[in-house]
Amino acid sequence: MHDPRRVQRERQAKKLSEASKSNFMYNSTLQQYNQVRNQAKLEMCRELDKMPIGRIQITKICRRSTNLTQDEIEEETFRRNISSFCLLFRIRNWEIQYIREPDVMLKYSIVLAWFVYICLLSIQLLSKDPKYHYWIIDGVTISVLTAMLIISWYKKLWIMYFSDTEQSLPKYKLSRMLYKMSDFMQRSIGIRVTVYMLVVVSCIAVTAMQVLDCGPKRDEELIQCFHPWILTNCVTLLIGTAFLFTRIPFVVKTTVAVLITAAYTVLVVYEFDHIFDGSPPTNVNLNAKYSHFLLIFITLGIFHLMERQTEFIAKVDYNWKRQLMQKQDDALITNDTIKVLLVNILPSHVADFYLSTQLQNELYYEEYDNVAVMFASIKNFDTDKIGLRVLNEIICDFDDVLNKYSTSLRVEKIKVANWTYMAACGLDVTRSEQVNAPQVKFRNVSLMPNGRRSQYRNLGSEQLQRVPYGNGNTLALDMERGQYEGNVISGTPRLSSTENDNERSNDEVVKVMANFALDLMRAMRRFNAENMQSEYEGSTDYGMLRIGISHGRAMAGVVGISKPHYDIWGNPVNMASRMDSTGIPGKIQVTENTALKLRNFNIQCNYRGKTFVKGRGNIPTYILGTDDEYKGFLPHQPAPAPTQENS
């Protein structure tokens, strides 16, 4: 059966929670304030009921394990992990870690022990005639306790009055030594136990001087050598001192207190029973000796129960702390896993933005003036015949190549669609003309005004050269006037070889993308040589890459909030896809403007001819010159100027 009072509280808390769902800050009324206050009170009562240190509930004792709530199951699990008598963790590693916890209250325990010692010393000096050996014992013990008191408080006082920051250390050697000793005293369990034993032994030494000169003989002189109630009260102080320190193992403190009680019992029963028999009792019907025993055992029992409660609370607190640390570690692992997954889906700067910002349907996009885009398609591979394993191995090889391009001009993998690998270079947020994030006001900009928008320039009326391509054939580079790639070409343009330094730096993205494409060609050739020697021997383009590259103005970003995907839009994306679809297996096909840029980097661009491109018509395209093993690009060799023949 459940506790009816607890069930009633839970029902009331549920009703109050539903009633106070409206915004309190904007509709603050007295009624809502009272609801929130009552709900907080009920929540506190519920949490107190869950704590394993609450009052004893008979319903919990009689309840079967099958009816326990989740909180009670956790409580029972904790109780099973700790011993009932010694209050030790059954898991040895937990107990070792617990006792190694630093004791920040040690300095306060030493202060209290020092005052107890002063009280015992005062009682000893007032009740006994001081002798020379008394002064020696008192001098040694008070010197030891005072030294420990100074060392234990040195770190605290230095941080409070001399230190600029809590992590700074004293400059002087002696001061630094005392500081480190104070810190080490708090952190070391061995030093703490040593300090505890020195304190207890010092208090015992002062108390023992009460009976130091007394003997067992029954004469009038010896009967008056000490007052029995003074000794009994001093022993109660000793028992309290034994339980004074917080981070000393409970078994050690209990053992010391029991030994003190046993030694006192021996003195009362065997050594000085005649003195205690003659002392005044607390009750006329009770033997005087029993009165002393009753006070000592009651004191021991009370301090023992209080210490058990304190130790149990400390163990519960440590268990919660350990669970919190475990949950924090799990959360860190989860966050790292999420970040790794997100970085694999999105570029690193976009992933960092999503991790640090809670988006609410806001649009995030970046606008770039010059981005190189590449489409690479694997030809004549049938998924039904060779399976996804081969595709996965090829894409993994491509990703290994991609990892080499993570410098200033980073190549970003956009996506893999079927057997096509898409990548872009120049998507660096520092190069972006605009980053539209939730904290930036949205600017409604069309990516391609008037239907198209790109970076291709008006090339003027310069003439293109004739470049050999193929087996001794010469293809004319003269073009008719027409519109392609979103630009109007006037005259018959020619590839320009002069660019200023800023443009050349901006055009590095095209060179990097061309080098990346060449590395993919080489990786694909190596994969075919290692894995596909006997497959489709009669096919010359089996497993070959067909690559298309274009560049220009583009936008990149993430649209939607479900399953975010970073993608790019713009004219270079469309043209790179067309260069791939109309390309030649084993070759890298580029647009004319891309060829213009690559010529400036001494890369041979062979005119292929006019190629029909959907949505563009017939436009000139170029093939990058490479050697047979894709080890590098062939250098650009401009054709000599034509000589004028004599008529």
Side-chain angles (χ1 to χ4, degrees):
M1 296 292 293
H2 292 279
D3 188 354
R5 291 180 298 176
R6 182 173 179 180
V7 173
Q8 185 178 3
R9 285 178 188 153
E10 292 179 353
R11 291 176 179 174
Q12 294 176 359
K14 186 176 180 180
K15 292 180 181 179
L16 288 174
S17 177
E18 294 176 353
S20 61
K21 284 184 178 179
S22 59
N23 196 327
F24 176 74
M25 296 300 297
Y26 293 98
N27 302 287
S28 56
T29 62
L30 182 60
Q31 182 180 2
Q32 288 180 330
Y33 170 75
N34 292 330
Q35 289 178 351
V36 173
R37 185 183 63 181
N38 294 334
Q39 182 181 358
K41 182 178 179 180
L42 290 173
E43 290 291 340
M44 289 295 297
C45 293
R46 289 172 58 189
E47 293 299 324
L48 287 174
D49 289 337
K50 296 177 184 179
M51 296 181 67
I53 58 174
R55 59 185 181 275
I56 298 176
Q57 298 181 8
I58 304 301
T59 56
K60 287 187 177 182
I61 299 176
C62 301
R63 187 182 302 173
R64 295 182 180 180
S65 58
T66 55
N67 298 325
L68 295 179
T69 63
Q70 182 64 31
D71 297 324
E72 291 169 341
I73 292 175
E74 293 180 0
E75 177 183 342
E76 291 298 325
T77 302
F78 170 74
R79 290 183 181 275
R80 286 195 296 267
N81 288 330
I82 191 171
S83 61
S84 301
F85 181 74
C86 298
L87 295 182
L88 298 175
F89 284 115
R90 300 187 188 277
I91 301 176
R92 183 178 179 183
N93 189 36
W94 292 10
E95 185 65 29
I96 294 175
Q97 293 178 359
Y98 172 76
I99 63 176
R100 288 180 177 177
E101 289 281 313
D103 184 10
V104 296
M105 301 297 294
L106 178 64
K107 49 185 172 292
Y108 301 102
S109 301
I110 294 178
V111 167
L112 292 177
W114 191 83
F115 278 109
V116 171
Y117 173 84
I118 294 299
C119 293
L120 293 174
L121 181 61
S122 301
I123 294 173
Q124 179 252 321
L125 294 176
L126 292 175
S127 60
K128 296 285 292 186
D129 294 332
K131 298 181 180 179
Y132 72 92
H133 55 274
Y134 291 179
W135 294 111
I136 295 176
I137 296 175
D138 295 342
V140 172
T141 53
I142 196 172
S143 299
V144 172
L145 292 181
T146 304
M148 291 189 299
L149 178 65
I150 294 173
I151 294 174
S152 64
W153 275 90
Y154 189 84
K155 178 181 177 180
K156 177 72 173 180
L157 296 177
W158 192 87
I159 292 176
M160 290 176 59
Y161 297 106
F162 301 101
S163 175
D164 296 332
T165 61
E166 190 172 348
Q167 288 76 21
S168 60
L169 295 175
K171 298 180 180 180
Y172 299 104
K173 186 176 181 180
L174 178 60
S175 180
R176 186 182 296 109
M177 182 183 68
L178 293 175
Y179 183 91
K180 291 182 178 179
M181 289 175 63
S182 178
D183 184 69
F184 186 68
M185 183 183 293
Q186 293 181 6
R187 298 181 181 275
S188 175
I189 180 61
I191 297 299
R192 293 203 301 268
V193 172
T194 302
V195 170
Y196 169 77
M197 295 306 298
L198 287 175
V199 169
V200 172
V201 169
S202 299
C203 294
I204 290 176
V206 175
T207 304
M209 282 188 286
Q210 296 282 341
V211 296
L212 193 62
D213 296 331
C214 297
K217 294 183 179 179
R218 294 178 178 273
D219 53 47
E220 189 68 21
E221 180 182 358
L222 292 179
I223 289 177
Q224 300 298 327
C225 71
F226 71 91
H227 195 288
W229 280 111
I230 292 178
L231 179 62
T232 301
N233 292 329
C234 289
V235 173
T236 59
L237 290 176
L238 284 179
I239 295 175
T241 305
F243 289 106
L244 187 60
F245 289 72
T246 56
R247 281 292 179 174
I248 301 300
F250 173 73
V251 177
V252 175
K253 292 185 284 188
T254 302
T255 302
V256 171
V258 170
L259 290 176
I260 292 174
T261 304
Y264 174 81
T265 303
V266 171
L267 291 177
V268 172
V269 175
Y270 297 103
E271 293 294 328
F272 305 109
D273 56 332
H274 55 285
I275 298 179
F276 284 92
D277 288 336
S279 64
T282 56
N283 191 301
V284 293
N285 297 323
L286 185 65
N287 187 284
K289 187 184 298 183
Y290 296 153
S291 299
H292 291 276
F293 283 145
L294 185 62
L295 177 61
I296 293 298
F297 286 117
I298 289 177
T299 302
L300 177 63
I302 291 174
F303 276 109
H304 176 74
L305 293 177
M306 292 174 59
E307 184 59 27
R308 281 186 65 88
Q309 184 76 351
T310 303
E311 183 74 7
F312 186 77
I313 294 174
K315 291 292 178 71
V316 171
D317 181 71
Y318 174 76
N319 183 63
W320 287 347
K321 179 181 177 181
R322 186 186 59 81
Q323 291 178 353
L324 177 61
M325 293 177 63
Q326 181 65 38
K327 291 180 180 179
Q328 289 176 343
D329 293 340
D330 294 341
L332 290 176
I333 294 174
T334 303
N335 290 337
D336 292 340
T337 304
I338 293 174
K339 188 172 184 179
V340 169
L341 292 175
L342 199 57
V343 169
N344 284 330
I345 298 173
L346 305 174
S348 57
H349 67 278
V350 181
D352 292 338
F353 174 79
Y354 270 78
L355 289 172
S356 59
T357 307
Q358 186 176 0
L359 297 180
Q360 296 179 355
N361 300 331
E362 295 92 347
L363 171 65
Y364 176 88
Y365 75 88
E366 306 153 356
E367 188 172 353
Y368 295 95
D369 183 64
N370 191 17
V371 175
V373 184
M374 182 208 73
F375 282 81
S377 296
I378 307 169
K379 298 304 296 176
N380 296 333
F381 270 176
D382 190 353
T383 307
D384 295 334
K385 293 182 179 180
I386 64 176
L388 287 178
R389 182 184 60 83
V390 175
L391 176 61
N392 178 68
E393 293 180 1
I394 295 174
I395 299 302
C396 288
D397 289 344
F398 288 177
D399 290 342
D400 290 338
V401 176
L402 182 73
N403 292 332
K404 300 177 183 178
Y405 290 84
S406 58
T407 56
S408 57
L409 289 177
R410 179 185 179 91
V411 177
E412 290 287 350
K413 175 184 175 182
I414 303 301
K415 59 185 174 183
V416 175
N418 201 3
W419 292 87
T420 301
Y421 190 93
M422 180 183 178
C425 182
L427 298 175
D428 185 0
V429 69
T430 59
R431 300 177 67 252
S432 177
E433 288 185 341
Q434 178 188 355
V435 177
N436 186 81
Q439 64 269 22
V440 181
K441 185 177 180 181
F442 176 73
R443 186 183 68 167
N444 188 9
V445 179
S446 175
L447 179 62
M448 300 178 66
N450 300 325
R452 297 192 180 104
R453 180 179 176 182
S454 69
Q455 191 189 336
Y456 300 112
R457 304 176 183 276
N458 193 324
L459 300 178
S461 59
E462 300 174 347
Q463 296 292 327
L464 294 176
Q465 302 173 358
R466 292 177 176 269
V467 179
Y469 176 73
N471 298 325
N473 298 325
T474 302
L475 298 179
L477 301 189
D478 296 326
M479 299 182 303
E480 298 177 357
R481 295 190 181 188
Q483 181 175 336
Y484 69 98
E485 297 183 43
N487 297 81
V488 177
I489 306 300
S490 61
T492 312
R494 182 182 61 186
L495 291 176
S496 175
S497 60
T498 59
E499 297 286 342
N500 57 44
D501 294 338
N502 292 334
E503 289 180 348
R504 185 178 180 87
S505 176
N506 193 33
D507 295 337
E508 284 282 344
V509 295
V510 182
K511 178 187 175 184
V512 172
M513 182 54 71
N515 291 330
F516 177 69
L518 185 65
D519 289 343
L520 293 189
M521 286 284 193
R522 187 163 54 251
M524 192 69 206
R525 177 185 176 90
R526 183 171 57 251
F527 179 84
N528 290 334
E530 294 175 355
N531 301 280
M532 301 294 178
Q533 298 92 341
S534 60
E535 299 286 343
Y536 295 90
E537 295 180 355
S539 178
T540 57
D541 60 350
Y542 176 76
M544 299 184 70
L545 271 184
R546 187 184 64 195
I547 297 180
I549 298 176
S550 181
H551 79 286
R553 193 175 186 86
M555 293 180 68
V558 180
V559 292
I561 57 175
S562 177
K563 296 182 180 179
H565 172 66
Y566 184 81
D567 209 343
I568 57 177
W569 297 267
N571 192 60
V573 179
N574 300 329
M575 292 307 300
S577 177
R578 300 294 187 266
M579 292 300 99
D580 170 39
S581 61
T582 62
I584 302 172
K587 302 294 182 180
I588 303 173
Q589 182 173 242
V590 299
T591 60
E592 185 183 17
N593 275 345
T594 303
L596 281 170
K597 305 302 180 183
L598 293 175
R599 283 279 184 89
N600 297 328
F601 294 102
N602 196 26
I603 296 177
Q604 186 180 109
C605 301
N606 300 323
Y607 178 62
R608 178 187 179 189
K610 289 189 176 181
T611 305
F612 178 78
V613 173
K614 183 179 179 181
R616 296 291 188 268
N618 293 320
I619 64 171
T621 58
Y622 295 82
I623 300 296
L624 302 188
T626 63
D627 55 19
D628 294 336
E629 297 182 355
Y630 305 109
K631 292 184 177 180
F633 291 111
L634 298 179
H636 172 54
Q637 297 178 355
T643 59
Q644 186 176 6
E645 298 180 358
N646 295 328
S647 56

